[in-house]
Amino acid sequence: MQEEWIGKSRGATVNFKVKETGDDVPVFTTRPDTLWGVTYMSIAPEHPLVEKLVKGTPREAEVMAAVKKMRAGGTSEKELAEREKEGVFTGFHVVNPVNGEEAPLWVANFALMTYGTGAVMSVPAHDQRDFEFAKKYDLPIKAVIFPEGGLDEKEMAKAYVDKGEMKNSGPFTGENDNFGAIEKIIDWLDREGKGKGKGTVNYRLRDWLLSRQRYWGAPIPVIYCDDCGVVPVPEKDLPVLLPTDVEFKEGHGNPLASSESFVNCKCPKCGKDAKRETDTMDTFVDSSWYFLRYCDSKNDEKCFDPEIIKKLMPVDQYIGGIEHATMHLIYARFYTMVLHDLGLVDFTEPFERLFCQGMVCKTAYFCEKCKWLPETEVEFADAEAQNKTQGKVGKCKKCGKDGVTAEMTKISKSKLNIVDPDAMFDKYGTDCVRLYMLSDAPPDRMQIWAEDGINGAWRTLNRLWTMIVEKAGSCAPVDEAMMPTQLNSKNRDLRRKTHQCIQRVTESIEGGFQFNTAIARCNELLNMIRAFKKPINPAVLREVLETVVRIVSPIVPHFAEECWERLGRTESIFTAGWPEADAAVAAEEAIEIPVQVNGKLRSRIKVKPDESESSLRDTALADEKVKASIEGKEIVKVIVVPGRMVNIAAKG
RNA sequence: GCUGGUGUAGCCCAACUGGGAGAGGCGAUCGGCUUAAAACCGAUACAGUGGGGGUUCGAAUCCCUCCACCAGCACCA
């Protein structure tokens, strides 16, 4: 995702020239294979060449009027996306360095000054956007890449952007894979050098709000003086603090600008009256290095001591919402790389591992007139409508209008679909709410908020508690918990299950924090203890109860600590560490494997876990049920997967 | 439009990465306890894995295709 966001693209910069004036107009392209199909060029309305070229020409008025209109358009991505493609001919032409051909130079609103060089070579035959523009303004279309069935420039309904054979392409004519030839063309441009162009890597890091007209954010430490110009705030005066006397008024722009005490200051250079910068930096500026400051937060000499950073960083495991993947996390990485280059940190990546948890979602309701509605303001058409997560559900209680729609989205204050967990904490306790949330779904997945399931977590904790209280007295004493060498099969089963539980929970948590399955394993073990009719061996009992409590301790820490004490432990459970499984104890004594006939389950056989292939085959074929189902049939093949299953393919 | 994710029981979700469709939980039903209800205890039922096609002895899992939902990105040359 980050790769896409920084928009790294490899391509070439190609040096076009204005025919009439000789001005350079470099362009960036990722498709140098289409260089020979250029029929016009588009430059951004903000491009400095626009004014320079048309000044004093007969077309000046017309071009500048059109350019002015284009510049007036918004620059937000949304506006850009919805805008109609427009352009105006400058009256000038450019010369294509690869073949000397001339092409008209246009100004177009879809060319962005902030990307590449602000100029786009246009190949309408092989680029959809260029194609549309060419059709609109009746510009020529020249195909240079041909699919097997050929291509008719006059009949084209859209640009041809797939693979094909290169034609009319100078030294590359005849290449039958244009995409494969791109690298060669870039090499060729590099060799040919200055006149033509060179290989280039481009990025399109978007604006990340370094300056914004808001109160919240770190002030930019800059002062404007009439005489001295832009003057940085001297180090001794840092940091510049936000004023406390600002007035927040709707529609009055930046509140900082209206704070006299903030804006008015003295020039640090000449001492005359000066004005302070009122834009602030986005909070991303701070969140890009806070993890370094945290390591040495009390340091008032410098932002951090590199020695301490060396010890503590990088972060082993970063957990955050997916919404941070493309912004905060990129900035943090970028800052770290800069600090590395400055020699302040000895690593280039701040976070070793990343885990993105899913969002908690809940149905939100929308009324055309009253906008977002809380659930209580919706009059549902029927019981079914109440459970719908999309589409029309009923009337708005506020305005009475029908047609309130439901939508499943991330819980947010603005959409009025928030839940207040306090009531749940009061009723069930934080441990119980946490257990419920973690047991409901894997954490990387979106979770639909529902309180129905919390009873399950409540019951689990109550059962475990009751069990601990009842059985604590029957456990072997803490200090003498020697495991007997001989145990009956029931006790052996319980021990096996205990150690399997440790193994599987460890896997579940290490393999992506899958607490839901970890909790399921614990429930399984608890169910097994409850199903015990006879008394459990005291040593086994201590082992199993302590195991469960230790395993759930990261999820329900307060609860686990209480249980631990009840089991006679005096040290905190968090000094006990994570339990370790004994593989020998966890190993199965006997397993049951399925026997299929033609892929359908016909019987099950009990075998040793390491039963050999031939023995499995014989046991399966000797089974009564299997015999019955293959009677009168010819055995074509017997597939044996040791430890897993037997499948008999029979015909007739 | 592009990219990624998800789709399994009435509901939330498992399934050792190709091998018995069900681990855990919610809810439901029945029974026990109770004067009764809740709680608690015990038991039971419910799907053939979004649709279609393919590969295979065998597909929830792999391939193709279509559908639905969620998320991110979207004139980036």
Side-chain angles (χ1 to χ4, degrees), chain A residues 485-524:
Chain A
T485 43
Q486 295 292 317
L487 286 170
N488 65 28
S489 75
K490 283 278 176 196
N491 277 293
R492 281 207 309 274
D493 287 347
L494 184 55
R495 275 206 83 198
R496 186 182 317 115
K497 190 89 177 169
T498 304
H499 285 260
Q500 285 177 349
C501 180
I502 299 171
Q503 287 178 331
R504 299 186 63 188
V505 168
T506 307
E507 282 166 23
S508 293
I509 293 177
E510 286 179 349
F513 304 111
Q514 293 183 58
F515 296 108
N516 57 326
T517 52
I519 292 164
R521 295 291 87 77
C522 288
N523 273 321
E524 230 173 291

mmCIF file of all heavy atoms in Angstrom, chain A residues 485-524:
data_model
loop_
_atom_site.group_PDB
_atom_site.id
_atom_site.type_symbol
_atom_site.label_atom_id
_atom_site.label_comp_id
_atom_site.label_asym_id
_atom_site.label_seq_id
_atom_site.Cartn_x
_atom_site.Cartn_y
_atom_site.Cartn_z
ATOM 1 N N THR A 485 4.529 -40.464 38.073
ATOM 2 C CA THR A 485 4.964 -41.095 36.829
ATOM 3 C C THR A 485 3.847 -41.921 36.210
ATOM 4 O O THR A 485 3.791 -42.104 35.011
ATOM 5 C CB THR A 485 6.194 -41.989 37.059
ATOM 6 O OG1 THR A 485 5.977 -42.727 38.256
ATOM 7 C CG2 THR A 485 7.445 -41.146 37.180
ATOM 8 N N GLN A 486 2.965 -42.439 37.067
ATOM 9 C CA GLN A 486 1.846 -43.237 36.558
ATOM 10 C C GLN A 486 0.539 -42.465 36.738
ATOM 11 O O GLN A 486 0.223 -42.023 37.828
ATOM 12 C CB GLN A 486 1.750 -44.562 37.322
ATOM 13 C CG GLN A 486 2.944 -45.471 37.106
ATOM 14 C CD GLN A 486 3.008 -46.001 35.684
ATOM 15 O OE1 GLN A 486 1.986 -46.400 35.126
ATOM 16 N NE2 GLN A 486 4.188 -46.003 35.082
ATOM 17 N N LEU A 487 -0.194 -42.334 35.650
ATOM 18 C CA LEU A 487 -1.503 -41.673 35.718
ATOM 19 C C LEU A 487 -2.503 -42.531 34.958
ATOM 20 O O LEU A 487 -2.133 -43.191 33.988
ATOM 21 C CB LEU A 487 -1.441 -40.299 35.076
ATOM 22 C CG LEU A 487 -0.738 -39.164 35.830
ATOM 23 C CD1 LEU A 487 -0.590 -37.968 34.909
ATOM 24 C CD2 LEU A 487 -1.506 -38.788 37.083
ATOM 25 N N ASN A 488 -3.764 -42.475 35.385
ATOM 26 C CA ASN A 488 -4.748 -43.216 34.599
ATOM 27 C C ASN A 488 -5.041 -42.472 33.293
ATOM 28 O O ASN A 488 -4.627 -41.335 33.100
ATOM 29 C CB ASN A 488 -6.025 -43.472 35.416
ATOM 30 C CG ASN A 488 -6.747 -42.184 35.773
ATOM 31 O OD1 ASN A 488 -6.646 -41.192 35.061
ATOM 32 N ND2 ASN A 488 -7.474 -42.206 36.867
ATOM 33 N N SER A 489 -5.751 -43.129 32.407
ATOM 34 C CA SER A 489 -5.875 -42.586 31.051
ATOM 35 C C SER A 489 -6.615 -41.247 31.033
ATOM 36 O O SER A 489 -6.284 -40.358 30.255
ATOM 37 C CB SER A 489 -6.565 -43.598 30.143
ATOM 38 O OG SER A 489 -7.947 -43.631 30.416
ATOM 39 N N LYS A 490 -7.612 -41.085 31.895
ATOM 40 C CA LYS A 490 -8.360 -39.818 31.926
ATOM 41 C C LYS A 490 -7.441 -38.657 32.284
ATOM 42 O O LYS A 490 -7.477 -37.598 31.685
ATOM 43 C CB LYS A 490 -9.492 -39.911 32.966
ATOM 44 C CG LYS A 490 -10.678 -40.715 32.478
ATOM 45 C CD LYS A 490 -11.579 -39.832 31.612
ATOM 46 C CE LYS A 490 -12.725 -40.656 31.034
ATOM 47 N NZ LYS A 490 -13.398 -39.959 29.920
ATOM 48 N N ASN A 491 -6.616 -38.906 33.313
ATOM 49 C CA ASN A 491 -5.684 -37.863 33.728
ATOM 50 C C ASN A 491 -4.630 -37.607 32.655
ATOM 51 O O ASN A 491 -4.221 -36.467 32.452
ATOM 52 C CB ASN A 491 -5.018 -38.236 35.058
ATOM 53 C CG ASN A 491 -5.890 -37.868 36.257
ATOM 54 O OD1 ASN A 491 -6.104 -36.691 36.524
ATOM 55 N ND2 ASN A 491 -6.425 -38.856 36.941
ATOM 56 N N ARG A 492 -4.222 -38.693 31.992
ATOM 57 C CA ARG A 492 -3.264 -38.511 30.893
ATOM 58 C C ARG A 492 -3.890 -37.671 29.782
ATOM 59 O O ARG A 492 -3.253 -36.786 29.225
ATOM 60 C CB ARG A 492 -2.821 -39.867 30.342
ATOM 61 C CG ARG A 492 -1.785 -40.571 31.180
ATOM 62 C CD ARG A 492 -0.932 -41.512 30.334
ATOM 63 N NE ARG A 492 -1.710 -42.419 29.504
ATOM 64 C CZ ARG A 492 -2.196 -43.602 29.913
ATOM 65 N NH1 ARG A 492 -1.978 -44.018 31.147
ATOM 66 N NH2 ARG A 492 -2.885 -44.377 29.098
ATOM 67 N N ASP A 493 -5.173 -37.948 29.491
ATOM 68 C CA ASP A 493 -5.876 -37.177 28.458
ATOM 69 C C ASP A 493 -5.894 -35.691 28.807
ATOM 70 O O ASP A 493 -5.667 -34.834 27.961
ATOM 71 C CB ASP A 493 -7.328 -37.658 28.323
ATOM 72 C CG ASP A 493 -7.420 -39.012 27.639
ATOM 73 O OD1 ASP A 493 -6.393 -39.446 27.060
ATOM 74 O OD2 ASP A 493 -8.499 -39.629 27.672
ATOM 75 N N LEU A 494 -6.174 -35.438 30.086
ATOM 76 C CA LEU A 494 -6.264 -34.036 30.503
ATOM 77 C C LEU A 494 -4.914 -33.341 30.407
ATOM 78 O O LEU A 494 -4.817 -32.196 29.959
ATOM 79 C CB LEU A 494 -6.809 -33.949 31.931
ATOM 80 C CG LEU A 494 -7.065 -32.535 32.481
ATOM 81 C CD1 LEU A 494 -7.991 -31.742 31.558
ATOM 82 C CD2 LEU A 494 -7.663 -32.597 33.877
ATOM 83 N N ARG A 495 -3.880 -34.046 30.799
ATOM 84 C CA ARG A 495 -2.537 -33.463 30.688
ATOM 85 C C ARG A 495 -2.190 -33.214 29.228
ATOM 86 O O ARG A 495 -1.609 -32.198 28.873
ATOM 87 C CB ARG A 495 -1.486 -34.426 31.261
ATOM 88 C CG ARG A 495 -1.303 -34.325 32.749
ATOM 89 C CD ARG A 495 0.098 -34.788 33.116
ATOM 90 N NE ARG A 495 1.088 -33.722 32.957
ATOM 91 C CZ ARG A 495 2.386 -33.943 32.869
ATOM 92 N NH1 ARG A 495 2.864 -35.162 32.860
ATOM 93 N NH2 ARG A 495 3.211 -32.924 32.755
ATOM 94 N N ARG A 496 -2.521 -34.179 28.395
ATOM 95 C CA ARG A 496 -2.213 -34.038 26.977
ATOM 96 C C ARG A 496 -2.917 -32.799 26.434
ATOM 97 O O ARG A 496 -2.329 -31.972 25.758
ATOM 98 C CB ARG A 496 -2.652 -35.287 26.207
ATOM 99 C CG ARG A 496 -2.212 -35.250 24.760
ATOM 100 C CD ARG A 496 -2.674 -36.460 23.970
ATOM 101 N NE ARG A 496 -2.512 -37.693 24.730
ATOM 102 C CZ ARG A 496 -3.519 -38.452 25.137
ATOM 103 N NH1 ARG A 496 -4.763 -38.119 24.838
ATOM 104 N NH2 ARG A 496 -3.294 -39.540 25.823
ATOM 105 N N LYS A 497 -4.174 -32.703 26.770
ATOM 106 C CA LYS A 497 -4.962 -31.561 26.308
ATOM 107 C C LYS A 497 -4.352 -30.244 26.811
ATOM 108 O O LYS A 497 -4.306 -29.252 26.086
ATOM 109 C CB LYS A 497 -6.397 -31.706 26.829
ATOM 110 C CG LYS A 497 -7.364 -30.731 26.235
ATOM 111 C CD LYS A 497 -7.970 -31.297 24.984
ATOM 112 C CE LYS A 497 -9.007 -30.370 24.385
ATOM 113 N NZ LYS A 497 -9.381 -30.818 23.035
ATOM 114 N N THR A 498 -3.887 -30.278 28.036
ATOM 115 C CA THR A 498 -3.277 -29.078 28.623
ATOM 116 C C THR A 498 -2.072 -28.635 27.804
ATOM 117 O O THR A 498 -1.947 -27.468 27.440
ATOM 118 C CB THR A 498 -2.823 -29.368 30.076
ATOM 119 O OG1 THR A 498 -3.943 -29.840 30.808
ATOM 120 C CG2 THR A 498 -2.273 -28.108 30.726
ATOM 121 N N HIS A 499 -1.216 -29.591 27.497
ATOM 122 C CA HIS A 499 -0.007 -29.226 26.759
ATOM 123 C C HIS A 499 -0.293 -28.900 25.301
ATOM 124 O O HIS A 499 0.361 -28.057 24.714
ATOM 125 C CB HIS A 499 1.061 -30.316 26.931
ATOM 126 C CG HIS A 499 1.686 -30.275 28.288
ATOM 127 N ND1 HIS A 499 2.896 -29.694 28.547
ATOM 128 C CD2 HIS A 499 1.212 -30.697 29.500
ATOM 129 C CE1 HIS A 499 3.161 -29.767 29.842
ATOM 130 N NE2 HIS A 499 2.158 -30.377 30.441
ATOM 131 N N GLN A 500 -1.297 -29.553 24.749
ATOM 132 C CA GLN A 500 -1.700 -29.202 23.376
ATOM 133 C C GLN A 500 -2.248 -27.781 23.365
ATOM 134 O O GLN A 500 -2.037 -27.022 22.417
ATOM 135 C CB GLN A 500 -2.765 -30.173 22.869
ATOM 136 C CG GLN A 500 -2.196 -31.532 22.509
ATOM 137 C CD GLN A 500 -3.264 -32.522 22.078
ATOM 138 O OE1 GLN A 500 -4.456 -32.269 22.234
ATOM 139 N NE2 GLN A 500 -2.828 -33.641 21.539
ATOM 140 N N CYS A 501 -2.974 -27.460 24.427
ATOM 141 C CA CYS A 501 -3.544 -26.128 24.538
ATOM 142 C C CYS A 501 -2.429 -25.083 24.542
ATOM 143 O O CYS A 501 -2.506 -24.086 23.829
ATOM 144 C CB CYS A 501 -4.389 -26.032 25.803
ATOM 145 S SG CYS A 501 -5.165 -24.440 26.067
ATOM 146 N N ILE A 502 -1.382 -25.327 25.319
ATOM 147 C CA ILE A 502 -0.262 -24.377 25.340
ATOM 148 C C ILE A 502 0.320 -24.218 23.939
ATOM 149 O O ILE A 502 0.529 -23.114 23.455
ATOM 150 C CB ILE A 502 0.848 -24.838 26.308
ATOM 151 C CG1 ILE A 502 0.304 -24.941 27.731
ATOM 152 C CG2 ILE A 502 2.035 -23.870 26.275
ATOM 153 C CD1 ILE A 502 1.276 -25.607 28.698
ATOM 154 N N GLN A 503 0.539 -25.354 23.282
ATOM 155 C CA GLN A 503 1.113 -25.304 21.933
ATOM 156 C C GLN A 503 0.253 -24.480 20.993
ATOM 157 O O GLN A 503 0.731 -23.606 20.272
ATOM 158 C CB GLN A 503 1.208 -26.720 21.355
ATOM 159 C CG GLN A 503 2.306 -27.573 21.960
ATOM 160 C CD GLN A 503 2.329 -28.985 21.381
ATOM 161 O OE1 GLN A 503 1.289 -29.507 20.968
ATOM 162 N NE2 GLN A 503 3.493 -29.597 21.352
ATOM 163 N N ARG A 504 -1.020 -24.798 21.010
ATOM 164 C CA ARG A 504 -1.883 -24.165 20.015
ATOM 165 C C ARG A 504 -2.159 -22.700 20.318
ATOM 166 O O ARG A 504 -2.275 -21.888 19.410
ATOM 167 C CB ARG A 504 -3.176 -24.966 19.885
ATOM 168 C CG ARG A 504 -2.864 -26.395 19.417
ATOM 169 C CD ARG A 504 -4.096 -27.194 19.140
ATOM 170 N NE ARG A 504 -4.867 -26.619 18.047
ATOM 171 C CZ ARG A 504 -6.078 -27.054 17.712
ATOM 172 N NH1 ARG A 504 -6.640 -28.024 18.390
ATOM 173 N NH2 ARG A 504 -6.721 -26.502 16.713
ATOM 174 N N VAL A 505 -2.263 -22.367 21.598
ATOM 175 C CA VAL A 505 -2.471 -20.961 21.938
ATOM 176 C C VAL A 505 -1.234 -20.148 21.558
ATOM 177 O O VAL A 505 -1.328 -19.056 21.016
ATOM 178 C CB VAL A 505 -2.791 -20.794 23.438
ATOM 179 C CG1 VAL A 505 -2.720 -19.337 23.855
ATOM 180 C CG2 VAL A 505 -4.174 -21.350 23.747
ATOM 181 N N THR A 506 -0.075 -20.712 21.825
ATOM 182 C CA THR A 506 1.163 -20.018 21.469
ATOM 183 C C THR A 506 1.207 -19.752 19.968
ATOM 184 O O THR A 506 1.512 -18.648 19.527
ATOM 185 C CB THR A 506 2.382 -20.861 21.897
ATOM 186 O OG1 THR A 506 2.240 -21.192 23.285
ATOM 187 C CG2 THR A 506 3.670 -20.091 21.706
ATOM 188 N N GLU A 507 0.847 -20.771 19.201
ATOM 189 C CA GLU A 507 0.807 -20.595 17.746
ATOM 190 C C GLU A 507 -0.194 -19.522 17.343
ATOM 191 O O GLU A 507 0.078 -18.685 16.487
ATOM 192 C CB GLU A 507 0.401 -21.906 17.055
ATOM 193 C CG GLU A 507 1.518 -22.917 16.957
ATOM 194 C CD GLU A 507 0.998 -24.307 16.585
ATOM 195 O OE1 GLU A 507 -0.101 -24.378 15.990
ATOM 196 O OE2 GLU A 507 1.670 -25.294 16.913
ATOM 197 N N SER A 508 -1.372 -19.582 17.955
ATOM 198 C CA SER A 508 -2.424 -18.628 17.594
ATOM 199 C C SER A 508 -1.996 -17.192 17.839
ATOM 200 O O SER A 508 -2.296 -16.306 17.056
ATOM 201 C CB SER A 508 -3.694 -18.876 18.410
ATOM 202 O OG SER A 508 -4.266 -20.098 18.069
ATOM 203 N N ILE A 509 -1.304 -16.981 18.928
ATOM 204 C CA ILE A 509 -0.934 -15.610 19.256
ATOM 205 C C ILE A 509 0.273 -15.166 18.439
ATOM 206 O O ILE A 509 0.301 -14.066 17.905
ATOM 207 C CB ILE A 509 -0.681 -15.464 20.773
ATOM 208 C CG1 ILE A 509 -2.012 -15.665 21.511
ATOM 209 C CG2 ILE A 509 -0.100 -14.085 21.099
ATOM 210 C CD1 ILE A 509 -1.915 -15.616 23.007
ATOM 211 N N GLU A 510 1.224 -16.062 18.284
ATOM 212 C CA GLU A 510 2.396 -15.685 17.498
ATOM 213 C C GLU A 510 2.057 -15.534 16.022
ATOM 214 O O GLU A 510 2.644 -14.727 15.329
ATOM 215 C CB GLU A 510 3.526 -16.703 17.693
ATOM 216 C CG GLU A 510 4.167 -16.547 19.063
ATOM 217 C CD GLU A 510 5.279 -17.553 19.315
ATOM 218 O OE1 GLU A 510 5.415 -18.497 18.513
ATOM 219 O OE2 GLU A 510 5.995 -17.397 20.321
ATOM 220 N N GLY A 511 1.102 -16.294 15.562
ATOM 221 C CA GLY A 511 0.719 -16.197 14.159
ATOM 222 C C GLY A 511 -0.330 -15.128 13.930
ATOM 223 O O GLY A 511 -1.399 -15.412 13.419
ATOM 224 N N GLY A 512 -0.058 -13.914 14.317
ATOM 225 C CA GLY A 512 -0.959 -12.815 13.998
ATOM 226 C C GLY A 512 -1.985 -12.486 15.061
ATOM 227 O O GLY A 512 -3.079 -12.040 14.750
ATOM 228 N N PHE A 513 -1.643 -12.697 16.313
ATOM 229 C CA PHE A 513 -2.496 -12.277 17.431
ATOM 230 C C PHE A 513 -3.919 -12.794 17.319
ATOM 231 O O PHE A 513 -4.887 -12.060 17.503
ATOM 232 C CB PHE A 513 -2.518 -10.751 17.546
ATOM 233 C CG PHE A 513 -1.160 -10.153 17.696
ATOM 234 C CD1 PHE A 513 -0.602 -9.402 16.679
ATOM 235 C CD2 PHE A 513 -0.430 -10.366 18.844
ATOM 236 C CE1 PHE A 513 0.672 -8.867 16.807
ATOM 237 C CE2 PHE A 513 0.836 -9.828 18.983
ATOM 238 C CZ PHE A 513 1.390 -9.078 17.961
ATOM 239 N N GLN A 514 -4.054 -14.075 16.996
ATOM 240 C CA GLN A 514 -5.405 -14.608 16.836
ATOM 241 C C GLN A 514 -5.970 -15.053 18.170
ATOM 242 O O GLN A 514 -6.070 -16.240 18.460
ATOM 243 C CB GLN A 514 -5.392 -15.741 15.832
ATOM 244 C CG GLN A 514 -5.070 -15.213 14.453
ATOM 245 C CD GLN A 514 -5.108 -16.267 13.410
ATOM 246 O OE1 GLN A 514 -6.120 -16.913 13.225
ATOM 247 N NE2 GLN A 514 -3.996 -16.458 12.740
ATOM 248 N N PHE A 515 -6.343 -14.052 18.950
ATOM 249 C CA PHE A 515 -6.856 -14.323 20.287
ATOM 250 C C PHE A 515 -8.167 -15.096 20.253
ATOM 251 O O PHE A 515 -8.489 -15.809 21.188
ATOM 252 C CB PHE A 515 -7.045 -13.019 21.059
ATOM 253 C CG PHE A 515 -5.766 -12.294 21.316
ATOM 254 C CD1 PHE A 515 -5.458 -11.130 20.637
ATOM 255 C CD2 PHE A 515 -4.843 -12.792 22.221
ATOM 256 C CE1 PHE A 515 -4.266 -10.468 20.871
ATOM 257 C CE2 PHE A 515 -3.646 -12.130 22.462
ATOM 258 C CZ PHE A 515 -3.362 -10.965 21.778
ATOM 259 N N ASN A 516 -8.921 -14.933 19.190
ATOM 260 C CA ASN A 516 -10.206 -15.636 19.120
ATOM 261 C C ASN A 516 -10.026 -17.145 19.179
ATOM 262 O O ASN A 516 -10.744 -17.827 19.903
ATOM 263 C CB ASN A 516 -10.980 -15.222 17.869
ATOM 264 C CG ASN A 516 -10.210 -15.453 16.588
ATOM 265 O OD1 ASN A 516 -8.985 -15.322 16.572
ATOM 266 N ND2 ASN A 516 -10.892 -15.814 15.535
ATOM 267 N N THR A 517 -9.038 -17.660 18.459
ATOM 268 C CA THR A 517 -8.831 -19.104 18.508
ATOM 269 C C THR A 517 -8.112 -19.505 19.797
ATOM 270 O O THR A 517 -8.345 -20.586 20.328
ATOM 271 C CB THR A 517 -8.034 -19.606 17.283
ATOM 272 O OG1 THR A 517 -6.850 -18.835 17.159
ATOM 273 C CG2 THR A 517 -8.836 -19.477 16.013
ATOM 274 N N ALA A 518 -7.284 -18.605 20.310
ATOM 275 C CA ALA A 518 -6.606 -18.895 21.577
ATOM 276 C C ALA A 518 -7.644 -19.068 22.679
ATOM 277 O O ALA A 518 -7.564 -19.998 23.493
ATOM 278 C CB ALA A 518 -5.638 -17.770 21.926
ATOM 279 N N ILE A 519 -8.630 -18.192 22.693
ATOM 280 C CA ILE A 519 -9.677 -18.259 23.712
ATOM 281 C C ILE A 519 -10.517 -19.527 23.512
ATOM 282 O O ILE A 519 -10.910 -20.190 24.484
ATOM 283 C CB ILE A 519 -10.541 -16.981 23.676
ATOM 284 C CG1 ILE A 519 -9.699 -15.788 24.137
ATOM 285 C CG2 ILE A 519 -11.781 -17.127 24.552
ATOM 286 C CD1 ILE A 519 -10.278 -14.433 23.797
ATOM 287 N N ALA A 520 -10.723 -19.886 22.272
ATOM 288 C CA ALA A 520 -11.484 -21.109 21.989
ATOM 289 C C ALA A 520 -10.773 -22.322 22.577
ATOM 290 O O ALA A 520 -11.412 -23.216 23.145
ATOM 291 C CB ALA A 520 -11.667 -21.276 20.477
ATOM 292 N N ARG A 521 -9.436 -22.330 22.462
ATOM 293 C CA ARG A 521 -8.660 -23.452 22.999
ATOM 294 C C ARG A 521 -8.820 -23.533 24.514
ATOM 295 O O ARG A 521 -8.953 -24.608 25.091
ATOM 296 C CB ARG A 521 -7.180 -23.294 22.654
ATOM 297 C CG ARG A 521 -6.818 -23.358 21.188
ATOM 298 C CD ARG A 521 -6.986 -24.727 20.595
ATOM 299 N NE ARG A 521 -8.342 -24.954 20.107
ATOM 300 C CZ ARG A 521 -8.822 -24.469 18.975
ATOM 301 N NH1 ARG A 521 -8.070 -23.735 18.185
ATOM 302 N NH2 ARG A 521 -10.061 -24.699 18.617
ATOM 303 N N CYS A 522 -8.824 -22.377 25.162
ATOM 304 C CA CYS A 522 -8.986 -22.358 26.611
ATOM 305 C C CYS A 522 -10.365 -22.867 27.007
ATOM 306 O O CYS A 522 -10.511 -23.627 27.967
ATOM 307 C CB CYS A 522 -8.791 -20.946 27.154
ATOM 308 S SG CYS A 522 -7.090 -20.412 27.092
ATOM 309 N N ASN A 523 -11.372 -22.434 26.271
ATOM 310 C CA ASN A 523 -12.728 -22.901 26.550
ATOM 311 C C ASN A 523 -12.817 -24.415 26.437
ATOM 312 O O ASN A 523 -13.484 -25.080 27.221
ATOM 313 C CB ASN A 523 -13.725 -22.263 25.576
ATOM 314 C CG ASN A 523 -14.210 -20.919 26.091
ATOM 315 O OD1 ASN A 523 -14.436 -20.752 27.286
ATOM 316 N ND2 ASN A 523 -14.352 -19.967 25.209
ATOM 317 N N GLU A 524 -12.126 -24.930 25.436
ATOM 318 C CA GLU A 524 -12.105 -26.365 25.218
ATOM 319 C C GLU A 524 -11.558 -27.087 26.456
ATOM 320 O O GLU A 524 -12.122 -28.068 26.935
ATOM 321 C CB GLU A 524 -11.151 -26.639 24.053
ATOM 322 C CG GLU A 524 -11.675 -27.505 22.957
ATOM 323 C CD GLU A 524 -10.679 -27.521 21.822
ATOM 324 O OE1 GLU A 524 -10.509 -26.480 21.149
ATOM 325 O OE2 GLU A 524 -10.058 -28.567 21.600
#
